[in-house]
Amino acid sequence: MPSRSAVPDGKRPTLSDLAARAGVSVPLASMVMRGAKGPSAASRERVLRAAQEIGYRPDSRARLLRSSRSHLVGVQFDLRQPFHADMVEALYAAAGAAGYQIALSAVAASRSEQEAVEALLADRCEALILLSPHAPAARLAELAAQLPVVSVARRLRPLTDGVDVVRAADDEGARQAVDHLVALGHRDIVHIDGGRAPGAADRRRGYKSAMKHHGLTDRVRLVPGGLTEDHGAAAARTLLAEAARPTAVLAFNDHCAIGVLDTFLRARIPVPDEISVVGFDDSHLARLAHVQLTTVGQEARQLARRAVSRAVARLEGGAVDEEREVVVTPHLVIRSTTRAPCRS
Amino acid sequence: MPSRSAVPDGKRPTLSDLAARAGVSVPLASMVMRGAKGPSAASRERVLRAAQEIGYRPDSRARLLRSSRSHLVGVQFDLRQPFHADMVEALYAAAGAAGYQIALSAVAASRSEQEAVEALLADRCEALILLSPHAPAARLAELAAQLPVVSVARRLRPLTDGVDVVRAADDEGARQAVDHLVALGHRDIVHIDGGRAPGAADRRRGYKSAMKHHGLTDRVRLVPGGLTEDHGAAAARTLLAEAARPTAVLAFNDHCAIGVLDTFLRARIPVPDEISVVGFDDSHLARLAHVQLTTVGQEARQLARRAVSRAVARLEGGAVDEEREVVVTPHLVIRSTTRAPCRS
DNA sequence: CATTTGATTTATAACGTTGTAACAACGTTG
DNA sequence: CAACGTTGTTACAACGTTATAAATCAAATG
């Protein structure tokens, strides 16, 4: 069996291998590797060259074990939600900038939130960022008793003890969408909702209140939907089966909106000529060249930054008793699926 | 500030807290926690109850540090590829069954493969599973000199030293798709390819050889495509602009196929009535109720299982000098986007 | 009764890293 | 020249866990 590294015994090189090679003590090598001030330029260079030569890599686990701080933030996300992909990317950047690392733990059909969180805890994360968690509020509170917990996009009705919330102003987003549609001349605007999904209630409320504000209370119409394209497609079929169709649809999220778009296309109903469609999230789906979905942008960057800084504040600032809830204002992104209705 | 845990000082409980609480020694508590044989039923129960009471959780980092084996496999995946999501899910299961844990590291627009791999190495992974890596073969070989590396879906032309490959038989998959279409009566079958993406060359070759096998060499037609919906949409527009349209399209992957479908729909070209479309991967996109894409299934479960067992074999079996390349046979999944051509 | 056996339990020493405090070597200063 | 900072370096202990070997103890044997 061939040797797998530059030190004789085939194991990965450690600090003491490095120190031996450079002809210095272990602590000195350590200081150089972590860029602490102290070592002279000469020894610094010697150590770095030796590191290069033997291919030394610090062992982050030992490092974290030693320092009581782990500077590790656990992130729970759902593999099936594209918006989560955007968030994870933004979280890497935000955490890096704050001097923290990220440990990912995925939720999927065969992997529960419970399992995902267990893994993060065993990994010694100092704080948890949960992307639209479905766990009961009691469970979140239980976790928050052990370490800082940030719930992203999931609002907690009574501000749950110890759990920070970072979310977009879903009601405001829905309002913007309705305003835009009304300004274009639409009156029959339907909302395909997200049932009991995180954020759904707020979007519903925002939709209703905006309709009311425009004096369209009697045109309010909710169709049961959900988070997936299938849900959107089903809702769209419901609409098609009816005599009087709406002129515009506000879908719960981009995924759902795509299902709606697709169903309309198949039924030969041109969008936006005959009917306008608005999504929610501004995930990369919406930006696809052939989709160009008008949607409510959730500002993943912002959300990520705020979530991280919230967690860090709890960790470093001691008792941070400002707002428990951070609300980021969403922004309507107008693309090509909305237009004035062709006939009133 | 409220206490964040069940032990007085607010830190997370350790083995010695647990041992003290249970009135036993630290090593004994350790044995109980990891289910080693030795402890009596009585002490086992006492320790477990104490663990329950103080909310003890083993610190996996310390655990890994101590045992030279970490039983940790690093997985590099791309947040934007739905097929990777399926693979990650399957990998969790496969690794768990083999007694290993998984560390995820994502690649995205703002996070390079290099960064992703660095993070995994620092985490002390024993082996790396890379999902369609784009890194140059030389770089992979360099990594393989340090630890077992499995490349999934990316074939390495000359079997690169030390890198195992697990992939679907892309050529065979393309062949199956063509066979299916020909059996339905199609002759003008176009392939929208994946350029230089991993697997693209094989699919191209499989397509060509199958066409040849059916005596359709003069009908071979390649259109430049890519991995995303946008690529598929662009290719479809190219096809639409021409006088003689094909009766069937084999797209590089599901993503690309969806772009094609969408463009055809917008152009009022019914699928599969006027034109058939086949994808590749059988990612969850293809299974959506309103898409029901006929596609070549890559068998994520199989791939994941084989990738893990390959890595484990290298780690545990010492010198495993069987095949360096594991090829899984794909299976055509016939759904609703293929049908006999309406006019010959 | 002394002694072996077997089952439990414990003491001790690591794993690779870093913080603390101590230590040399050196030139400055009174 | 003695006392003193500086600057660079090192010894030592610790983080939370587990492997090894040694210790304890009851029961069983000769």
Side-chain angles (χ1 to χ4, degrees), chain A residues 229-230, chain B residues 82-83 86 89 254 258 281-295 297-301 333 335:
Chain A
E229 303 192 341
D230 281 345
Chain B
F83 178 62
D86 293 343
E89 179 171 1
D254 289 345
I258 301 268
D281 283 354
D282 194 20
S283 63
H284 55 263
L285 281 179
R287 287 170 225 149
L288 292 172
H290 64 107
V291 172
Q292 290 296 324
L293 181 68
T294 293
T295 187
Q298 283 225 51
E299 311 282 330
R301 288 265 179 81
V333 181
R335 296 206 180 86

PDB file of all heavy atoms in Angstrom, chain A residues 229-230, chain B residues 82-83 86 89 254 258 281-295 297-301 333 335:
ATOM      1  N   GLU A 229     -44.640  22.590  -6.858  1.00  0.00           N
ATOM      2  CA  GLU A 229     -45.196  22.826  -8.182  1.00  0.00           C
ATOM      3  C   GLU A 229     -46.503  22.063  -8.338  1.00  0.00           C
ATOM      4  O   GLU A 229     -47.447  22.548  -8.959  1.00  0.00           O
ATOM      5  CB  GLU A 229     -44.187  22.381  -9.239  1.00  0.00           C
ATOM      6  CG  GLU A 229     -42.851  23.099  -9.075  1.00  0.00           C
ATOM      7  CD  GLU A 229     -41.924  22.919 -10.253  1.00  0.00           C
ATOM      8  OE1 GLU A 229     -42.137  21.969 -11.028  1.00  0.00           O
ATOM      9  OE2 GLU A 229     -41.008  23.739 -10.401  1.00  0.00           O
ATOM     10  N   ASP A 230     -46.531  20.881  -7.768  1.00  0.00           N
ATOM     11  CA  ASP A 230     -47.763  20.099  -7.868  1.00  0.00           C
ATOM     12  C   ASP A 230     -48.944  20.832  -7.234  1.00  0.00           C
ATOM     13  O   ASP A 230     -50.039  20.852  -7.788  1.00  0.00           O
ATOM     14  CB  ASP A 230     -47.569  18.732  -7.195  1.00  0.00           C
ATOM     15  CG  ASP A 230     -46.806  17.779  -8.103  1.00  0.00           C
ATOM     16  OD1 ASP A 230     -46.693  18.082  -9.307  1.00  0.00           O
ATOM     17  OD2 ASP A 230     -46.328  16.738  -7.607  1.00  0.00           O
TER      18      ASP A 230
ATOM     19  N   PRO B  82     -30.471  19.698  -8.570  1.00  0.00           N
ATOM     20  CA  PRO B  82     -31.467  18.890  -7.864  1.00  0.00           C
ATOM     21  C   PRO B  82     -31.038  17.425  -7.753  1.00  0.00           C
ATOM     22  O   PRO B  82     -31.338  16.768  -6.762  1.00  0.00           O
ATOM     23  CB  PRO B  82     -32.715  19.002  -8.725  1.00  0.00           C
ATOM     24  CG  PRO B  82     -32.424  19.970  -9.794  1.00  0.00           C
ATOM     25  CD  PRO B  82     -30.984  20.307  -9.788  1.00  0.00           C
ATOM     26  N   PHE B  83     -30.328  16.953  -8.744  1.00  0.00           N
ATOM     27  CA  PHE B  83     -29.890  15.572  -8.673  1.00  0.00           C
ATOM     28  C   PHE B  83     -28.942  15.364  -7.486  1.00  0.00           C
ATOM     29  O   PHE B  83     -28.955  14.322  -6.843  1.00  0.00           O
ATOM     30  CB  PHE B  83     -29.216  15.162  -9.984  1.00  0.00           C
ATOM     31  CG  PHE B  83     -28.684  13.763  -9.965  1.00  0.00           C
ATOM     32  CD1 PHE B  83     -29.535  12.685  -9.793  1.00  0.00           C
ATOM     33  CD2 PHE B  83     -27.323  13.520 -10.098  1.00  0.00           C
ATOM     34  CE1 PHE B  83     -29.049  11.389  -9.753  1.00  0.00           C
ATOM     35  CE2 PHE B  83     -26.830  12.228 -10.060  1.00  0.00           C
ATOM     36  CZ  PHE B  83     -27.694  11.166  -9.895  1.00  0.00           C
ATOM     37  N   ASP B  86     -30.906  14.701  -4.367  1.00  0.00           N
ATOM     38  CA  ASP B  86     -31.302  13.292  -4.269  1.00  0.00           C
ATOM     39  C   ASP B  86     -30.129  12.442  -3.793  1.00  0.00           C
ATOM     40  O   ASP B  86     -30.280  11.556  -2.954  1.00  0.00           O
ATOM     41  CB  ASP B  86     -31.781  12.763  -5.636  1.00  0.00           C
ATOM     42  CG  ASP B  86     -33.074  13.428  -6.077  1.00  0.00           C
ATOM     43  OD1 ASP B  86     -33.747  14.036  -5.219  1.00  0.00           O
ATOM     44  OD2 ASP B  86     -33.409  13.345  -7.260  1.00  0.00           O
ATOM     45  N   GLU B  89     -29.308  12.899  -0.038  1.00  0.00           N
ATOM     46  CA  GLU B  89     -30.267  12.171   0.784  1.00  0.00           C
ATOM     47  C   GLU B  89     -29.901  10.685   0.822  1.00  0.00           C
ATOM     48  O   GLU B  89     -29.836  10.067   1.886  1.00  0.00           O
ATOM     49  CB  GLU B  89     -31.677  12.350   0.226  1.00  0.00           C
ATOM     50  CG  GLU B  89     -32.695  11.587   1.041  1.00  0.00           C
ATOM     51  CD  GLU B  89     -34.124  11.910   0.638  1.00  0.00           C
ATOM     52  OE1 GLU B  89     -34.318  12.716  -0.290  1.00  0.00           O
ATOM     53  OE2 GLU B  89     -35.038  11.334   1.262  1.00  0.00           O
ATOM     54  N   ASP B 254     -32.636  16.358 -16.779  1.00  0.00           N
ATOM     55  CA  ASP B 254     -34.020  16.747 -16.522  1.00  0.00           C
ATOM     56  C   ASP B 254     -34.197  18.254 -16.551  1.00  0.00           C
ATOM     57  O   ASP B 254     -35.162  18.776 -17.117  1.00  0.00           O
ATOM     58  CB  ASP B 254     -34.471  16.212 -15.156  1.00  0.00           C
ATOM     59  CG  ASP B 254     -34.644  14.712 -15.164  1.00  0.00           C
ATOM     60  OD1 ASP B 254     -34.689  14.128 -16.257  1.00  0.00           O
ATOM     61  OD2 ASP B 254     -34.724  14.126 -14.062  1.00  0.00           O
ATOM     62  N   ILE B 258     -36.756  20.192 -18.952  1.00  0.00           N
ATOM     63  CA  ILE B 258     -37.861  21.047 -18.502  1.00  0.00           C
ATOM     64  C   ILE B 258     -37.857  22.348 -19.298  1.00  0.00           C
ATOM     65  O   ILE B 258     -38.902  22.855 -19.702  1.00  0.00           O
ATOM     66  CB  ILE B 258     -37.709  21.365 -16.994  1.00  0.00           C
ATOM     67  CG1 ILE B 258     -37.707  20.082 -16.173  1.00  0.00           C
ATOM     68  CG2 ILE B 258     -38.793  22.332 -16.542  1.00  0.00           C
ATOM     69  CD1 ILE B 258     -39.016  19.630 -15.667  1.00  0.00           C
ATOM     70  N   ASP B 281     -31.683  11.612 -15.542  1.00  0.00           N
ATOM     71  CA  ASP B 281     -31.408  11.707 -14.100  1.00  0.00           C
ATOM     72  C   ASP B 281     -32.527  11.125 -13.247  1.00  0.00           C
ATOM     73  O   ASP B 281     -32.271  10.553 -12.202  1.00  0.00           O
ATOM     74  CB  ASP B 281     -31.202  13.156 -13.594  1.00  0.00           C
ATOM     75  CG  ASP B 281     -29.840  13.703 -13.930  1.00  0.00           C
ATOM     76  OD1 ASP B 281     -29.005  12.939 -14.448  1.00  0.00           O
ATOM     77  OD2 ASP B 281     -29.610  14.913 -13.700  1.00  0.00           O
ATOM     78  N   ASP B 282     -33.780  11.339 -13.702  1.00  0.00           N
ATOM     79  CA  ASP B 282     -34.922  11.030 -12.846  1.00  0.00           C
ATOM     80  C   ASP B 282     -34.787  11.722 -11.500  1.00  0.00           C
ATOM     81  O   ASP B 282     -34.939  11.115 -10.451  1.00  0.00           O
ATOM     82  CB  ASP B 282     -35.097   9.516 -12.656  1.00  0.00           C
ATOM     83  CG  ASP B 282     -36.471   9.199 -12.065  1.00  0.00           C
ATOM     84  OD1 ASP B 282     -37.356  10.055 -12.176  1.00  0.00           O
ATOM     85  OD2 ASP B 282     -36.623   8.115 -11.492  1.00  0.00           O
ATOM     86  N   SER B 283     -34.477  13.001 -11.545  1.00  0.00           N
ATOM     87  CA  SER B 283     -34.486  13.781 -10.313  1.00  0.00           C
ATOM     88  C   SER B 283     -35.947  14.043  -9.965  1.00  0.00           C
ATOM     89  O   SER B 283     -36.841  13.724 -10.739  1.00  0.00           O
ATOM     90  CB  SER B 283     -33.748  15.102 -10.526  1.00  0.00           C
ATOM     91  OG  SER B 283     -34.407  15.867 -11.490  1.00  0.00           O
ATOM     92  N   HIS B 284     -36.197  14.624  -8.798  1.00  0.00           N
ATOM     93  CA  HIS B 284     -37.600  14.765  -8.396  1.00  0.00           C
ATOM     94  C   HIS B 284     -38.378  15.687  -9.332  1.00  0.00           C
ATOM     95  O   HIS B 284     -39.586  15.618  -9.406  1.00  0.00           O
ATOM     96  CB  HIS B 284     -37.720  15.191  -6.942  1.00  0.00           C
ATOM     97  CG  HIS B 284     -36.967  16.433  -6.616  1.00  0.00           C
ATOM     98  ND1 HIS B 284     -35.704  16.420  -6.055  1.00  0.00           N
ATOM     99  CD2 HIS B 284     -37.273  17.719  -6.802  1.00  0.00           C
ATOM    100  CE1 HIS B 284     -35.291  17.654  -5.896  1.00  0.00           C
ATOM    101  NE2 HIS B 284     -36.214  18.465  -6.336  1.00  0.00           N
ATOM    102  N   LEU B 285     -37.640  16.524 -10.061  1.00  0.00           N
ATOM    103  CA  LEU B 285     -38.293  17.375 -11.067  1.00  0.00           C
ATOM    104  C   LEU B 285     -39.143  16.543 -12.017  1.00  0.00           C
ATOM    105  O   LEU B 285     -40.273  16.901 -12.365  1.00  0.00           O
ATOM    106  CB  LEU B 285     -37.229  18.076 -11.920  1.00  0.00           C
ATOM    107  CG  LEU B 285     -36.533  19.293 -11.366  1.00  0.00           C
ATOM    108  CD1 LEU B 285     -35.515  19.783 -12.379  1.00  0.00           C
ATOM    109  CD2 LEU B 285     -37.559  20.364 -11.059  1.00  0.00           C
ATOM    110  N   ALA B 286     -38.569  15.429 -12.456  1.00  0.00           N
ATOM    111  CA  ALA B 286     -39.207  14.621 -13.480  1.00  0.00           C
ATOM    112  C   ALA B 286     -40.489  13.982 -12.975  1.00  0.00           C
ATOM    113  O   ALA B 286     -41.402  13.692 -13.751  1.00  0.00           O
ATOM    114  CB  ALA B 286     -38.249  13.538 -13.962  1.00  0.00           C
ATOM    115  N   ARG B 287     -40.545  13.809 -11.655  1.00  0.00           N
ATOM    116  CA  ARG B 287     -41.685  13.084 -11.092  1.00  0.00           C
ATOM    117  C   ARG B 287     -42.864  13.992 -10.785  1.00  0.00           C
ATOM    118  O   ARG B 287     -43.909  13.536 -10.364  1.00  0.00           O
ATOM    119  CB  ARG B 287     -41.248  12.393  -9.796  1.00  0.00           C
ATOM    120  CG  ARG B 287     -40.363  11.192 -10.049  1.00  0.00           C
ATOM    121  CD  ARG B 287     -39.749  10.685  -8.751  1.00  0.00           C
ATOM    122  NE  ARG B 287     -38.330  10.423  -8.962  1.00  0.00           N
ATOM    123  CZ  ARG B 287     -37.394  10.541  -8.030  1.00  0.00           C
ATOM    124  NH1 ARG B 287     -37.717  10.925  -6.824  1.00  0.00           N
ATOM    125  NH2 ARG B 287     -36.143  10.294  -8.322  1.00  0.00           N
ATOM    126  N   LEU B 288     -42.675  15.291 -10.921  1.00  0.00           N
ATOM    127  CA  LEU B 288     -43.762  16.213 -10.606  1.00  0.00           C
ATOM    128  C   LEU B 288     -44.998  15.845 -11.408  1.00  0.00           C
ATOM    129  O   LEU B 288     -44.916  15.518 -12.590  1.00  0.00           O
ATOM    130  CB  LEU B 288     -43.345  17.643 -10.923  1.00  0.00           C
ATOM    131  CG  LEU B 288     -42.242  18.186 -10.011  1.00  0.00           C
ATOM    132  CD1 LEU B 288     -41.763  19.534 -10.514  1.00  0.00           C
ATOM    133  CD2 LEU B 288     -42.753  18.290  -8.590  1.00  0.00           C
ATOM    134  N   ALA B 289     -46.127  15.920 -10.754  1.00  0.00           N
ATOM    135  CA  ALA B 289     -47.388  15.464 -11.356  1.00  0.00           C
ATOM    136  C   ALA B 289     -47.656  16.132 -12.699  1.00  0.00           C
ATOM    137  O   ALA B 289     -48.140  15.507 -13.634  1.00  0.00           O
ATOM    138  CB  ALA B 289     -48.530  15.729 -10.402  1.00  0.00           C
ATOM    139  N   HIS B 290     -47.320  17.396 -12.819  1.00  0.00           N
ATOM    140  CA  HIS B 290     -47.677  18.083 -14.056  1.00  0.00           C
ATOM    141  C   HIS B 290     -46.572  17.987 -15.099  1.00  0.00           C
ATOM    142  O   HIS B 290     -46.728  18.461 -16.210  1.00  0.00           O
ATOM    143  CB  HIS B 290     -48.001  19.544 -13.774  1.00  0.00           C
ATOM    144  CG  HIS B 290     -46.818  20.305 -13.265  1.00  0.00           C
ATOM    145  ND1 HIS B 290     -46.150  21.212 -14.021  1.00  0.00           N
ATOM    146  CD2 HIS B 290     -46.184  20.249 -12.077  1.00  0.00           C
ATOM    147  CE1 HIS B 290     -45.168  21.711 -13.312  1.00  0.00           C
ATOM    148  NE2 HIS B 290     -45.157  21.132 -12.125  1.00  0.00           N
ATOM    149  N   VAL B 291     -45.480  17.377 -14.744  1.00  0.00           N
ATOM    150  CA  VAL B 291     -44.397  17.226 -15.710  1.00  0.00           C
ATOM    151  C   VAL B 291     -44.393  15.795 -16.250  1.00  0.00           C
ATOM    152  O   VAL B 291     -44.507  15.574 -17.447  1.00  0.00           O
ATOM    153  CB  VAL B 291     -43.027  17.538 -15.070  1.00  0.00           C
ATOM    154  CG1 VAL B 291     -41.900  17.195 -16.025  1.00  0.00           C
ATOM    155  CG2 VAL B 291     -42.961  18.999 -14.685  1.00  0.00           C
ATOM    156  N   GLN B 292     -44.261  14.840 -15.343  1.00  0.00           N
ATOM    157  CA  GLN B 292     -44.325  13.436 -15.735  1.00  0.00           C
ATOM    158  C   GLN B 292     -43.405  13.148 -16.908  1.00  0.00           C
ATOM    159  O   GLN B 292     -43.812  12.629 -17.944  1.00  0.00           O
ATOM    160  CB  GLN B 292     -45.774  13.049 -16.086  1.00  0.00           C
ATOM    161  CG  GLN B 292     -46.676  13.006 -14.871  1.00  0.00           C
ATOM    162  CD  GLN B 292     -46.244  11.920 -13.890  1.00  0.00           C
ATOM    163  OE1 GLN B 292     -45.793  10.862 -14.300  1.00  0.00           O
ATOM    164  NE2 GLN B 292     -46.365  12.208 -12.609  1.00  0.00           N
ATOM    165  N   LEU B 293     -42.164  13.518 -16.688  1.00  0.00           N
ATOM    166  CA  LEU B 293     -41.164  13.405 -17.744  1.00  0.00           C
ATOM    167  C   LEU B 293     -40.648  11.974 -17.911  1.00  0.00           C
ATOM    168  O   LEU B 293     -40.270  11.332 -16.940  1.00  0.00           O
ATOM    169  CB  LEU B 293     -39.994  14.327 -17.382  1.00  0.00           C
ATOM    170  CG  LEU B 293     -38.813  14.412 -18.336  1.00  0.00           C
ATOM    171  CD1 LEU B 293     -39.219  15.098 -19.634  1.00  0.00           C
ATOM    172  CD2 LEU B 293     -37.668  15.183 -17.666  1.00  0.00           C
ATOM    173  N   THR B 294     -40.656  11.493 -19.118  1.00  0.00           N
ATOM    174  CA  THR B 294     -39.962  10.249 -19.413  1.00  0.00           C
ATOM    175  C   THR B 294     -38.468  10.553 -19.325  1.00  0.00           C
ATOM    176  O   THR B 294     -37.997  11.543 -19.893  1.00  0.00           O
ATOM    177  CB  THR B 294     -40.291   9.759 -20.831  1.00  0.00           C
ATOM    178  OG1 THR B 294     -41.672   9.393 -20.888  1.00  0.00           O
ATOM    179  CG2 THR B 294     -39.443   8.541 -21.194  1.00  0.00           C
ATOM    180  N   THR B 295     -37.748   9.723 -18.578  1.00  0.00           N
ATOM    181  CA  THR B 295     -36.354  10.079 -18.318  1.00  0.00           C
ATOM    182  C   THR B 295     -35.512   8.841 -18.035  1.00  0.00           C
ATOM    183  O   THR B 295     -36.056   7.765 -17.797  1.00  0.00           O
ATOM    184  CB  THR B 295     -36.294  11.061 -17.113  1.00  0.00           C
ATOM    185  OG1 THR B 295     -34.968  11.533 -16.944  1.00  0.00           O
ATOM    186  CG2 THR B 295     -36.723  10.363 -15.840  1.00  0.00           C
ATOM    187  N   GLY B 297     -33.335   6.984 -15.536  1.00  0.00           N
ATOM    188  CA  GLY B 297     -33.102   7.010 -14.101  1.00  0.00           C
ATOM    189  C   GLY B 297     -31.670   6.684 -13.746  1.00  0.00           C
ATOM    190  O   GLY B 297     -31.143   5.659 -14.154  1.00  0.00           O
ATOM    191  N   GLN B 298     -31.052   7.558 -12.938  1.00  0.00           N
ATOM    192  CA  GLN B 298     -29.653   7.322 -12.587  1.00  0.00           C
ATOM    193  C   GLN B 298     -29.508   6.466 -11.339  1.00  0.00           C
ATOM    194  O   GLN B 298     -28.397   6.192 -10.902  1.00  0.00           O
ATOM    195  CB  GLN B 298     -28.936   8.648 -12.342  1.00  0.00           C
ATOM    196  CG  GLN B 298     -28.575   9.374 -13.600  1.00  0.00           C
ATOM    197  CD  GLN B 298     -27.151   9.887 -13.498  1.00  0.00           C
ATOM    198  OE1 GLN B 298     -26.232   9.155 -13.177  1.00  0.00           O
ATOM    199  NE2 GLN B 298     -26.953  11.150 -13.779  1.00  0.00           N
ATOM    200  N   GLU B 299     -30.624   6.132 -10.728  1.00  0.00           N
ATOM    201  CA  GLU B 299     -30.520   5.253  -9.556  1.00  0.00           C
ATOM    202  C   GLU B 299     -29.653   5.856  -8.462  1.00  0.00           C
ATOM    203  O   GLU B 299     -28.628   5.289  -8.067  1.00  0.00           O
ATOM    204  CB  GLU B 299     -29.925   3.901  -9.967  1.00  0.00           C
ATOM    205  CG  GLU B 299     -30.569   3.267 -11.170  1.00  0.00           C
ATOM    206  CD  GLU B 299     -31.885   2.604 -10.822  1.00  0.00           C
ATOM    207  OE1 GLU B 299     -32.023   2.142  -9.687  1.00  0.00           O
ATOM    208  OE2 GLU B 299     -32.783   2.578 -11.691  1.00  0.00           O
ATOM    209  N   ALA B 300     -30.096   6.989  -7.953  1.00  0.00           N
ATOM    210  CA  ALA B 300     -29.314   7.672  -6.913  1.00  0.00           C
ATOM    211  C   ALA B 300     -28.991   6.729  -5.749  1.00  0.00           C
ATOM    212  O   ALA B 300     -27.870   6.733  -5.237  1.00  0.00           O
ATOM    213  CB  ALA B 300     -30.068   8.898  -6.415  1.00  0.00           C
ATOM    214  N   ARG B 301     -29.961   5.943  -5.337  1.00  0.00           N
ATOM    215  CA  ARG B 301     -29.728   5.014  -4.233  1.00  0.00           C
ATOM    216  C   ARG B 301     -28.522   4.123  -4.494  1.00  0.00           C
ATOM    217  O   ARG B 301     -27.631   3.992  -3.673  1.00  0.00           O
ATOM    218  CB  ARG B 301     -30.933   4.085  -4.065  1.00  0.00           C
ATOM    219  CG  ARG B 301     -32.136   4.757  -3.510  1.00  0.00           C
ATOM    220  CD  ARG B 301     -32.186   4.574  -1.987  1.00  0.00           C
ATOM    221  NE  ARG B 301     -33.351   5.258  -1.466  1.00  0.00           N
ATOM    222  CZ  ARG B 301     -34.575   4.734  -1.496  1.00  0.00           C
ATOM    223  NH1 ARG B 301     -34.762   3.540  -2.014  1.00  0.00           N
ATOM    224  NH2 ARG B 301     -35.584   5.411  -1.024  1.00  0.00           N
ATOM    225  N   VAL B 333     -37.271   5.387 -17.361  1.00  0.00           N
ATOM    226  CA  VAL B 333     -38.543   5.506 -16.651  1.00  0.00           C
ATOM    227  C   VAL B 333     -39.522   6.170 -17.605  1.00  0.00           C
ATOM    228  O   VAL B 333     -39.362   7.342 -17.948  1.00  0.00           O
ATOM    229  CB  VAL B 333     -38.392   6.370 -15.385  1.00  0.00           C
ATOM    230  CG1 VAL B 333     -39.720   6.454 -14.654  1.00  0.00           C
ATOM    231  CG2 VAL B 333     -37.319   5.798 -14.483  1.00  0.00           C
ATOM    232  N   ARG B 335     -42.727   7.892 -18.647  1.00  0.00           N
ATOM    233  CA  ARG B 335     -43.871   8.618 -18.108  1.00  0.00           C
ATOM    234  C   ARG B 335     -44.664   9.182 -19.278  1.00  0.00           C
ATOM    235  O   ARG B 335     -44.956   8.448 -20.225  1.00  0.00           O
ATOM    236  CB  ARG B 335     -43.399   9.709 -17.132  1.00  0.00           C
ATOM    237  CG  ARG B 335     -42.712   9.140 -15.892  1.00  0.00           C
ATOM    238  CD  ARG B 335     -42.809  10.065 -14.686  1.00  0.00           C
ATOM    239  NE  ARG B 335     -42.145   9.480 -13.512  1.00  0.00           N
ATOM    240  CZ  ARG B 335     -40.858   9.585 -13.230  1.00  0.00           C
ATOM    241  NH1 ARG B 335     -40.078  10.284 -14.037  1.00  0.00           N
ATOM    242  NH2 ARG B 335     -40.350   9.011 -12.163  1.00  0.00           N
TER     243      ARG B 335
END
